[in-house]
Amino acid sequence: MTIDLHTHSRVSDGTTSPRELVHAAAAAGLDVVALTDHDTTGGWAEAEQAAVETGIGLVRGIEISTRYRGAGVHLLAYLPDASDPARQAELARIVAGRQDRVPAMLGRLQELGIAATEEALAEVSGGNEVTGRPHIADLLVHLGVVATRDEAFAQYLSDGGPAFVDRYAADLVEMIGLVHAARGVTVVAHPWGRGSEHVLDESGFVALKQAGLDGIEVDHLDHDPCARARLREIAQRLDLVVTGASDHHGAGKVGHDLGCETTAPHELARIADLAASLGSPTTIVGRRREGSLR
Ligand code: AMP
Ligand code: ZN
Ligand code: FE
Ligand code: FE
C-alpha cells in the first residue's frame, strides 16, 4: 500500500488539474492519494471523478492557513463535511485575505521596477481559485527576473522579503475546533519545516492535543532525520496519528514527487475511523481500497 496524504493541484498552487493529479498518482503506483489544496475544496469534485476513473483511493482534504503564537502554521483537514457553514465562512475569509494582498505585492514589485501587473499574473496563473506567493514567483520567472520559484522566494517573497505582504490566517486552535465541528480530522503539516521549529515545541503539541489535534505530518522533505525521530516520539507520547506525504506541487516544487514520502496503512485507517466516529459524510472515494487498509 502506497499512501500519499498531501498534494496540490492548480486549484491552488500546484501545476496540474485535479484530474491530471489523480491520474498521475495512479500512474505513479499510489493506492491512495489526498488532494489538499490550500484553503479550498474547489478541486474535490473533479478529483473524485478521476478517482472513480482510475480506481485509486482518494482522501478529500484541505491545507488550511492558520496562525499560532504569531507564526504561520499549515493545518491539514481530512474528510470534513465540505458544506459545513462555519468552516466554509472561515475558509472564505482566508481566501479573501489571499486575494486582497495580491495588488499590494504586485505594487511592491512595481516599485522595484518590475513589470508585475495583474494581467501578466492572470496569464501565468490562470485557472486557480486561490492565489499564493508561488503564483507571483511563477510571474517573476515568466518575466525573466529569476530562474526558479525558489529563487523568487529567496530574493523577493519569503516572510520579511521586499515584496512580502502579510495576510489573514485563522487562529490554529480555533481552526482545529472548526474542522472537528465540520467532522474532519486535523493533522499539523510539516510543523518543523523551513526553520519553524521554535513555533511548535513539545509543550505546543501538548496544548494542541488538548485542543483536539489528531495528528502530526512527520515524514516530509522539509524535516531532517533528527526532526522526524523527535516528532515521531512526541506523536507516540501524545497518541497522535503519524503521517507522511510528498506535498507535491506538480512542476512547482522540485523533488516533491508523488509518493516520495508516505503514510502507513494503519495510520490512514485511524484517520478514516476518526472521521467516521465524528459522523463525517465524506468518505474515502474507492471503498474497495479502504477495506484493505488493515
Ligand atoms: P502563501 O500560500 O502565499 O503563503 O505561500 C506559501 C506557499 O509557498 C507554501 O505553501 C509553499 O508551497 C510555497 N513556498 C514557501 N516558501 C517557499 C520557498 N522558499 N520556495 C518555494 N516555495 C515556497
Ligand atoms: Zn502550496
Ligand atoms: Fe504547507
Ligand atoms: Fe502543501
Side-chain angles (χ1 to χ4, degrees), residues 13 20 26 37 47 78 90 113 121 123 130 135 146 172 188 192 202 214 216 230 233 267 285:
D13 55 6
E20 289 162 343
D37 275 312
Y78 292 116
E90 190 59 18
L121 179 65
E123 240 174 77
V130 169
H135 298 111
V146 293
L172 174 58
V188 185
W192 290 354
E202 177 144 14
D214 300 301
I216 303 178
R230 287 167 55 212
E233 202 183 294
E267 301 285 9
V285 178

Side-chain angles (χ1 to χ4, degrees), residues 8 13 38 249:
H8 298 267
D13 55 6
H38 295 282
H249 279 68

